Amino acid sequence: MKYLRVITVVVITFIFLAALAVGIGVIFAVRNINITIESYTYGEDSETANEEIARYKENFMDLYKGKLINTVSEEDISKNLTDWNCDYTLTSFEKILPCTINITLLERRETYVYDNGDGTYNVYDLDGALIRVADSEADTMNTTGDTPSPNVMLSIPDESYVEEAAALGKAFQASFSESFEKGAPIRSTVESIYIVERTSSYAGNNVIFQLRSGIQVVIYDYEDYLLEKMTAAYSKFVQLDAESKLTGYIYCYYLNDGTLSSAYQPSGKVTDND
């Protein structure tokens, strides 16, 4: 009888735990996914926006409806978007217990162009992720928005530098933010980004930002203290009069004694040997 009671208690406990697990699974299962889309090309309440929201909500619900909410991660959502090669990147991910996930997507914006050397050009977004392949240089014009405009040309050692160039572009836009109209893309100000590899053991790579106004901004050895150098370059830039911003170049680097040097050269262009 003693063993029977023990077995009964074990069975009842097992049934209780199983029921509890099922109940928790039901309560904390994903039942709703809210999608918000931020777009450069269509309005928030437009027909296109509603169609896109419905499409992505259906896609995500097919994947995650009924799954425990704590098993769904931001990395999962980002990977889904990458696998789908979609037109959006994830900018916000939030879990609202017990059963709701909120997702915000940002439309990918054409930003950079790389010459493949075979007559075709790769067009990348702000993060350096491939959007499309253009069949000609004329086809590299940005198609995001009402009026086509040139994207930022990347003059880099090879394609492996694309993401690095994109990160440098973000650093430029952050440091020179007051030179951009609110929400304006980097291509509105920068014509090209040129990375120069340095072969000597004591020097790093340099980056040249060719501005559409005509002036160049040159950061030597950008791997080290990039923010400080970009800030110094911007401080020099804002001191220039309108005419000076049409030519010449600003250069910035650290001297051997640890002093940050930033100066303006009124004429000429920087070359590989500078």
Side-chain angles (χ1 to χ4, degrees), residues 21-59:
V22 171
I24 291 175
V26 171
I27 293 172
F28 291 96
V30 175
R31 293 200 296 273
N32 185 40
I33 297 179
N34 297 320
I35 306 291
T36 300
I37 290 181
E38 299 174 353
S39 171
Y40 304 108
T41 56
Y42 53 80
E44 181 178 351
D45 297 321
S46 67
E47 181 178 351
T48 301
N50 293 330
E51 290 175 352
E52 290 289 85
I53 289 171
R55 180 162 69 94
Y56 279 94
K57 181 168 184 174
E58 181 179 359
N59 289 344

Short mmCIF file of all heavy atoms in Angstrom, two decimals, residues 21-59:
data_model
loop_
_atom_site.label_atom_id
_atom_site.label_comp_id
_atom_site.label_asym_id
_atom_site.label_seq_id
_atom_site.Cartn_x
_atom_site.Cartn_y
_atom_site.Cartn_z
N ALA A 21 2.77 22.65 -17.81
CA ALA A 21 3.61 22.93 -18.96
C ALA A 21 2.76 23.28 -20.18
O ALA A 21 3.06 24.21 -20.94
CB ALA A 21 4.52 21.74 -19.27
N VAL A 22 1.69 22.48 -20.37
CA VAL A 22 0.79 22.76 -21.50
C VAL A 22 0.14 24.12 -21.35
O VAL A 22 0.04 24.91 -22.30
CB VAL A 22 -0.27 21.65 -21.61
CG1 VAL A 22 -1.35 22.05 -22.64
CG2 VAL A 22 0.37 20.33 -22.00
N GLY A 23 -0.28 24.42 -20.11
CA GLY A 23 -0.92 25.71 -19.87
C GLY A 23 0.02 26.87 -20.13
O GLY A 23 -0.36 27.87 -20.74
N ILE A 24 1.26 26.74 -19.66
CA ILE A 24 2.25 27.79 -19.90
C ILE A 24 2.52 27.94 -21.39
O ILE A 24 2.63 29.05 -21.92
CB ILE A 24 3.55 27.47 -19.14
CG1 ILE A 24 3.32 27.60 -17.63
CG2 ILE A 24 4.68 28.40 -19.58
CD1 ILE A 24 4.50 27.19 -16.79
N GLY A 25 2.59 26.77 -22.07
CA GLY A 25 2.82 26.81 -23.51
C GLY A 25 1.73 27.53 -24.26
O GLY A 25 1.98 28.25 -25.23
N VAL A 26 0.50 27.34 -23.81
CA VAL A 26 -0.63 28.02 -24.45
C VAL A 26 -0.62 29.51 -24.15
O VAL A 26 -0.78 30.36 -25.03
CB VAL A 26 -1.96 27.38 -24.00
CG1 VAL A 26 -3.14 28.21 -24.49
CG2 VAL A 26 -2.06 25.95 -24.51
N ILE A 27 -0.39 29.84 -22.89
CA ILE A 27 -0.43 31.25 -22.47
C ILE A 27 0.69 32.06 -23.12
O ILE A 27 0.47 33.19 -23.58
CB ILE A 27 -0.32 31.35 -20.93
CG1 ILE A 27 -1.56 30.75 -20.28
CG2 ILE A 27 -0.14 32.80 -20.49
CD1 ILE A 27 -1.45 30.62 -18.77
N PHE A 28 1.89 31.48 -23.19
CA PHE A 28 3.04 32.21 -23.69
C PHE A 28 3.40 31.84 -25.13
O PHE A 28 4.53 32.04 -25.56
CB PHE A 28 4.24 31.98 -22.77
CG PHE A 28 4.09 32.62 -21.42
CD1 PHE A 28 3.63 31.89 -20.34
CD2 PHE A 28 4.37 33.97 -21.24
CE1 PHE A 28 3.47 32.48 -19.10
CE2 PHE A 28 4.22 34.56 -20.00
CZ PHE A 28 3.76 33.82 -18.93
N ALA A 29 2.44 31.34 -25.85
CA ALA A 29 2.65 31.07 -27.27
C ALA A 29 2.36 32.34 -28.08
O ALA A 29 1.48 33.13 -27.74
CB ALA A 29 1.71 29.95 -27.72
N VAL A 30 3.12 32.53 -29.15
CA VAL A 30 2.94 33.71 -30.01
C VAL A 30 1.58 33.64 -30.69
O VAL A 30 1.26 32.67 -31.37
CB VAL A 30 4.06 33.78 -31.07
CG1 VAL A 30 3.80 34.95 -32.02
CG2 VAL A 30 5.42 33.93 -30.41
N ARG A 31 0.78 34.67 -30.48
CA ARG A 31 -0.54 34.73 -31.11
C ARG A 31 -0.73 35.99 -31.94
O ARG A 31 -1.67 36.08 -32.72
CB ARG A 31 -1.65 34.66 -30.04
CG ARG A 31 -1.72 33.33 -29.33
CD ARG A 31 -3.07 33.12 -28.66
NE ARG A 31 -3.32 34.10 -27.60
CZ ARG A 31 -2.93 33.96 -26.34
NH1 ARG A 31 -2.26 32.87 -25.98
NH2 ARG A 31 -3.19 34.87 -25.43
N ASN A 32 0.17 36.94 -31.77
CA ASN A 32 0.01 38.19 -32.51
C ASN A 32 1.38 38.79 -32.81
O ASN A 32 2.26 38.84 -31.95
CB ASN A 32 -0.83 39.19 -31.71
CG ASN A 32 -1.13 40.45 -32.49
OD1 ASN A 32 -1.40 40.37 -33.69
ND2 ASN A 32 -1.06 41.59 -31.86
N ILE A 33 1.57 39.24 -34.04
CA ILE A 33 2.79 39.95 -34.45
C ILE A 33 2.38 41.25 -35.11
O ILE A 33 1.66 41.25 -36.12
CB ILE A 33 3.64 39.10 -35.41
CG1 ILE A 33 4.11 37.83 -34.72
CG2 ILE A 33 4.85 39.90 -35.89
CD1 ILE A 33 4.94 36.90 -35.60
N ASN A 34 2.80 42.36 -34.53
CA ASN A 34 2.50 43.68 -35.08
C ASN A 34 3.69 44.17 -35.90
O ASN A 34 4.83 44.14 -35.44
CB ASN A 34 2.20 44.68 -33.96
CG ASN A 34 0.98 44.30 -33.16
OD1 ASN A 34 -0.02 43.84 -33.73
ND2 ASN A 34 1.04 44.47 -31.85
N ILE A 35 3.42 44.63 -37.11
CA ILE A 35 4.46 45.10 -38.02
C ILE A 35 4.31 46.60 -38.26
O ILE A 35 3.22 47.08 -38.58
CB ILE A 35 4.41 44.37 -39.38
CG1 ILE A 35 4.45 42.85 -39.19
CG2 ILE A 35 5.53 44.85 -40.29
CD1 ILE A 35 5.76 42.32 -38.69
N THR A 36 5.39 47.33 -38.08
CA THR A 36 5.45 48.75 -38.46
C THR A 36 6.53 48.90 -39.52
O THR A 36 7.63 48.36 -39.37
CB THR A 36 5.79 49.64 -37.26
OG1 THR A 36 4.80 49.48 -36.25
CG2 THR A 36 5.85 51.12 -37.67
N ILE A 37 6.21 49.59 -40.61
CA ILE A 37 7.18 49.78 -41.70
C ILE A 37 7.44 51.27 -41.89
O ILE A 37 6.51 52.07 -42.01
CB ILE A 37 6.67 49.15 -43.01
CG1 ILE A 37 6.69 47.62 -42.89
CG2 ILE A 37 7.53 49.59 -44.18
CD1 ILE A 37 6.24 46.90 -44.14
N GLU A 38 8.73 51.62 -41.90
CA GLU A 38 9.15 52.99 -42.19
C GLU A 38 9.72 53.01 -43.61
O GLU A 38 10.66 52.27 -43.91
CB GLU A 38 10.20 53.45 -41.18
CG GLU A 38 9.68 53.46 -39.75
CD GLU A 38 10.75 53.78 -38.73
OE1 GLU A 38 11.93 53.85 -39.13
OE2 GLU A 38 10.42 53.95 -37.55
N SER A 39 9.13 53.84 -44.45
CA SER A 39 9.49 53.82 -45.87
C SER A 39 9.91 55.20 -46.36
O SER A 39 9.43 56.23 -45.88
CB SER A 39 8.30 53.33 -46.70
OG SER A 39 8.55 53.49 -48.08
N TYR A 40 10.82 55.19 -47.33
CA TYR A 40 11.22 56.42 -48.01
C TYR A 40 10.36 56.71 -49.23
O TYR A 40 10.34 57.83 -49.73
CB TYR A 40 12.68 56.32 -48.48
CG TYR A 40 13.67 56.00 -47.40
CD1 TYR A 40 14.27 54.76 -47.32
CD2 TYR A 40 14.02 56.97 -46.46
CE1 TYR A 40 15.20 54.47 -46.34
CE2 TYR A 40 14.96 56.69 -45.47
CZ TYR A 40 15.54 55.44 -45.42
OH TYR A 40 16.46 55.16 -44.43
N THR A 41 9.65 55.68 -49.71
CA THR A 41 9.00 55.80 -51.01
C THR A 41 7.48 55.81 -50.96
O THR A 41 6.85 56.08 -51.97
CB THR A 41 9.45 54.64 -51.93
OG1 THR A 41 9.17 53.39 -51.28
CG2 THR A 41 10.94 54.73 -52.21
N TYR A 42 6.88 55.49 -49.84
CA TYR A 42 5.42 55.52 -49.76
C TYR A 42 4.98 55.92 -48.36
O TYR A 42 5.73 55.79 -47.39
CB TYR A 42 4.80 54.18 -50.16
CG TYR A 42 5.34 52.98 -49.43
CD1 TYR A 42 4.90 52.65 -48.15
CD2 TYR A 42 6.29 52.16 -50.03
CE1 TYR A 42 5.39 51.55 -47.48
CE2 TYR A 42 6.79 51.05 -49.37
CZ TYR A 42 6.34 50.76 -48.10
OH TYR A 42 6.84 49.66 -47.44
N GLY A 43 3.76 56.42 -48.26
CA GLY A 43 3.25 56.94 -47.01
C GLY A 43 2.90 55.85 -46.01
O GLY A 43 2.66 54.70 -46.37
N GLU A 44 2.84 56.24 -44.75
CA GLU A 44 2.60 55.29 -43.66
C GLU A 44 1.26 54.60 -43.79
O GLU A 44 1.13 53.41 -43.48
CB GLU A 44 2.69 56.02 -42.31
CG GLU A 44 2.49 55.14 -41.11
CD GLU A 44 2.62 55.90 -39.81
OE1 GLU A 44 3.05 57.08 -39.85
OE2 GLU A 44 2.29 55.33 -38.75
N ASP A 45 0.24 55.31 -44.25
CA ASP A 45 -1.10 54.74 -44.34
C ASP A 45 -1.51 54.46 -45.78
O ASP A 45 -2.70 54.31 -46.08
CB ASP A 45 -2.13 55.69 -43.70
CG ASP A 45 -1.87 55.87 -42.22
OD1 ASP A 45 -1.52 54.88 -41.56
OD2 ASP A 45 -2.02 57.02 -41.72
N SER A 46 -0.55 54.38 -46.68
CA SER A 46 -0.86 54.17 -48.08
C SER A 46 -1.27 52.72 -48.34
O SER A 46 -1.07 51.83 -47.50
CB SER A 46 0.35 54.51 -48.95
OG SER A 46 1.40 53.60 -48.70
N GLU A 47 -1.81 52.48 -49.50
CA GLU A 47 -2.21 51.13 -49.88
C GLU A 47 -1.00 50.20 -49.92
O GLU A 47 -1.06 49.05 -49.47
CB GLU A 47 -2.90 51.15 -51.25
CG GLU A 47 -3.38 49.78 -51.72
CD GLU A 47 -4.09 49.84 -53.06
OE1 GLU A 47 -4.37 50.96 -53.54
OE2 GLU A 47 -4.35 48.77 -53.63
N THR A 48 0.13 50.73 -50.43
CA THR A 48 1.36 49.93 -50.49
C THR A 48 1.82 49.53 -49.10
O THR A 48 2.21 48.38 -48.85
CB THR A 48 2.48 50.70 -51.20
OG1 THR A 48 2.06 51.04 -52.52
CG2 THR A 48 3.75 49.86 -51.29
N ALA A 49 1.79 50.49 -48.17
CA ALA A 49 2.19 50.21 -46.79
C ALA A 49 1.33 49.12 -46.18
O ALA A 49 1.84 48.18 -45.55
CB ALA A 49 2.11 51.48 -45.96
N ASN A 50 0.03 49.22 -46.36
CA ASN A 50 -0.88 48.22 -45.81
C ASN A 50 -0.64 46.84 -46.42
O ASN A 50 -0.71 45.82 -45.72
CB ASN A 50 -2.32 48.65 -46.01
CG ASN A 50 -2.69 49.88 -45.20
OD1 ASN A 50 -2.14 50.11 -44.12
ND2 ASN A 50 -3.61 50.69 -45.71
N GLU A 51 -0.37 46.81 -47.71
CA GLU A 51 -0.09 45.53 -48.37
C GLU A 51 1.19 44.91 -47.85
O GLU A 51 1.26 43.70 -47.61
CB GLU A 51 -0.01 45.74 -49.89
CG GLU A 51 -1.34 46.05 -50.55
CD GLU A 51 -1.20 46.37 -52.03
OE1 GLU A 51 -0.04 46.49 -52.48
OE2 GLU A 51 -2.22 46.51 -52.71
N GLU A 52 2.23 45.74 -47.69
CA GLU A 52 3.51 45.23 -47.19
C GLU A 52 3.39 44.73 -45.75
O GLU A 52 3.93 43.69 -45.39
CB GLU A 52 4.57 46.33 -47.28
CG GLU A 52 5.00 46.68 -48.68
CD GLU A 52 5.82 45.57 -49.32
OE1 GLU A 52 5.20 44.63 -49.88
OE2 GLU A 52 7.05 45.61 -49.24
N ILE A 53 2.68 45.48 -44.93
CA ILE A 53 2.48 45.07 -43.54
C ILE A 53 1.75 43.73 -43.49
O ILE A 53 2.14 42.82 -42.73
CB ILE A 53 1.70 46.15 -42.76
CG1 ILE A 53 2.61 47.37 -42.53
CG2 ILE A 53 1.19 45.61 -41.43
CD1 ILE A 53 1.88 48.57 -41.97
N ALA A 54 0.70 43.59 -44.28
CA ALA A 54 -0.06 42.34 -44.29
C ALA A 54 0.80 41.18 -44.77
O ALA A 54 0.73 40.06 -44.21
CB ALA A 54 -1.28 42.50 -45.20
N ARG A 55 1.64 41.43 -45.77
CA ARG A 55 2.47 40.36 -46.33
C ARG A 55 3.50 39.87 -45.31
O ARG A 55 3.68 38.67 -45.11
CB ARG A 55 3.17 40.86 -47.59
CG ARG A 55 4.07 39.83 -48.25
CD ARG A 55 4.36 40.24 -49.69
NE ARG A 55 5.19 41.41 -49.76
CZ ARG A 55 6.53 41.38 -49.88
NH1 ARG A 55 7.16 40.21 -49.90
NH2 ARG A 55 7.23 42.48 -49.99
N TYR A 56 4.17 40.82 -44.65
CA TYR A 56 5.21 40.42 -43.70
C TYR A 56 4.61 39.84 -42.41
O TYR A 56 5.20 38.95 -41.80
CB TYR A 56 6.14 41.59 -43.41
CG TYR A 56 7.17 41.76 -44.49
CD1 TYR A 56 6.95 42.64 -45.55
CD2 TYR A 56 8.34 41.00 -44.49
CE1 TYR A 56 7.88 42.77 -46.57
CE2 TYR A 56 9.26 41.11 -45.51
CZ TYR A 56 9.03 42.00 -46.55
OH TYR A 56 9.94 42.11 -47.57
N LYS A 57 3.45 40.33 -42.04
CA LYS A 57 2.78 39.75 -40.88
C LYS A 57 2.43 38.30 -41.15
O LYS A 57 2.64 37.41 -40.29
CB LYS A 57 1.52 40.54 -40.52
CG LYS A 57 0.81 40.00 -39.30
CD LYS A 57 -0.26 40.95 -38.79
CE LYS A 57 -0.88 40.42 -37.52
NZ LYS A 57 -1.82 41.38 -36.91
N GLU A 58 1.92 38.02 -42.33
CA GLU A 58 1.58 36.64 -42.69
C GLU A 58 2.82 35.75 -42.71
O GLU A 58 2.80 34.62 -42.20
CB GLU A 58 0.90 36.62 -44.06
CG GLU A 58 0.48 35.23 -44.52
CD GLU A 58 -0.20 35.22 -45.87
OE1 GLU A 58 -0.37 36.31 -46.46
OE2 GLU A 58 -0.55 34.13 -46.34
N ASN A 59 3.91 36.29 -43.28
CA ASN A 59 5.15 35.51 -43.35
C ASN A 59 5.67 35.15 -41.95
O ASN A 59 6.06 34.00 -41.69
CB ASN A 59 6.23 36.28 -44.11
CG ASN A 59 5.94 36.38 -45.59
OD1 ASN A 59 5.10 35.64 -46.11
ND2 ASN A 59 6.60 37.29 -46.26
#
